[in-house]
Amino acid sequence: MQRTGLPGHDLRALDPVLSYPSTILGRERAIVVNLEHIRAIIIAKEVLMLNSNNPLVVQFVEVLVHRITSANNYMMQQELKKNDMDIRYASKASWNSSKEAMVTCQQVQPFEFRALEACLESACRCLDYEVRDELEHLLDDENDMAEMYLAEKLETQLMDQALQKEKEETNGFSLLNERSDDSHSPDSYISFKPDIEELEMLLEAYFAEIDGILHKLSHVCIH
């Protein structure tokens, strides 16, 4: 609290024990970010993270370090170019051109925005991987979708059992001893071929909704 200037209730938004909704809070000296696996406090020149052992967080930190390092290198290069321009422009007494060069060199995102963008991108990638990809994989596998028709499978199983019982009674003998718990064998589902169109339409509707959400999130990132 002393380091960030945040009150206790803002810090509780990052408590992994509590079920806080997704949150981005702008405060006087810090930005609080609680998005998916990202629980972070961004201050002027630092990012304080929780769950540092989480592989997703480790990956996020690597991306953030690369982003900050690349931006710092770019700023250093621009500063060197600016100084060189200032010398040349000063020698020519071209004050207006020198001012324009300085403005161009200063058009770099501040640290806190680079860090916030990294948080947003990481959360979007997580949603993309965990939600959209899983639905897409399921939509591509008709066998998996067929297995999800539980009520229809149960009805088919009961019909198979009834037909088998009727057959046994008709023939005057029982095959129960020879078919121990055979009702759970794959043979009892040979005739089970559900029409997966209904489930496919349901999954496609949510896939489109999630894809739309991800598209909106991608435009939230700061460029």
Side-chain angles (χ1 to χ4, degrees):
M1 291 171 66
Q2 293 177 350
R3 187 173 182 180
T4 63
L6 292 171
H9 62 80
D10 284 347
L11 293 175
R12 280 195 291 273
L14 303 178
D15 191 336
V17 178
L18 302 177
S19 299
Y20 260 81
S22 297
T23 303
I24 299 178
L25 303 174
R27 296 296 185 255
E28 183 177 358
R29 290 167 47 194
I31 301 173
V32 179
V33 181
N34 176 10
L35 294 173
E36 295 299 314
H37 56 286
I38 301 296
R39 295 174 183 266
I41 300 173
I42 302 172
I43 51 183
K45 295 184 178 180
E46 291 181 287
V47 178
L48 311 177
M49 296 290 303
L50 295 179
N51 302 328
S52 58
N53 294 326
N54 185 327
L56 291 175
V57 175
V58 173
Q59 183 182 26
F60 163 76
V61 171
E62 292 174 353
V63 171
L64 178 61
V65 169
H66 176 73
R67 182 187 294 271
I68 298 302
T69 303
S70 299
N72 288 342
N73 291 338
Y74 175 77
M75 290 176 67
M76 289 177 64
Q77 293 174 2
Q78 293 296 93
E79 184 65 24
L80 290 174
K81 290 180 181 179
K82 178 179 76 70
N83 292 336
D84 183 55
M85 290 178 183
D86 286 346
I87 293 172
R88 285 185 289 150
Y89 285 138
S91 64
K92 296 179 180 179
S94 180
W95 174 248
N96 290 334
S97 296
S98 178
K99 286 202 301 182
E100 291 175 1
M102 291 176 64
V103 170
T104 301
C105 293
Q106 293 173 354
Q107 290 178 349
V108 178
Q109 288 181 341
F111 173 86
E112 63 271 19
F113 291 168
R114 283 175 270 153
L116 179 59
E117 182 176 14
C119 292
L120 292 168
E121 287 181 350
S122 183
C124 289
R125 280 195 302 269
C126 180
L127 285 171
D128 189 14
Y129 177 76
E130 292 182 354
V131 183
R132 185 173 63 180
D133 285 0
E134 185 59 30
L135 283 179
E136 189 172 18
H137 172 74
L138 186 57
L139 282 166
D140 289 339
D141 194 326
E142 294 186 359
N143 291 330
D144 278 357
M145 285 193 285
E147 287 296 324
M148 298 175 70
Y149 281 77
L150 305 181
E152 194 169 336
K153 280 198 298 185
L154 178 60
E155 183 179 352
T156 301
Q157 179 185 347
L158 294 175
M159 289 178 62
D160 287 347
Q161 291 176 348
L163 289 173
Q164 182 62 34
K165 185 177 180 180
E166 182 179 349
K167 180 180 178 180
E168 291 170 356
E169 292 175 349
T170 301
N171 293 334
F173 64 92
S174 173
L175 300 178
L176 291 177
N177 292 332
E178 298 177 13
R179 295 168 54 89
S180 59
D181 200 25
D182 197 38
S183 61
H184 297 288
S185 69
D187 293 340
S188 62
Y189 296 105
I190 292 177
S191 61
F192 180 69
K193 294 182 180 180
D195 181 3
I196 62 173
E197 183 178 356
E198 182 180 0
L199 177 59
E200 195 171 24
M201 291 175 60
L202 174 65
L203 294 176
E204 285 177 346
Y206 277 93
F207 178 84
E209 182 176 349
I210 291 169
D211 199 48
I213 292 172
L214 292 173
H215 180 71
K216 292 177 181 178
L217 284 174
S218 68
H219 285 75
V220 172
C221 296
I222 304 166
H223 298 287

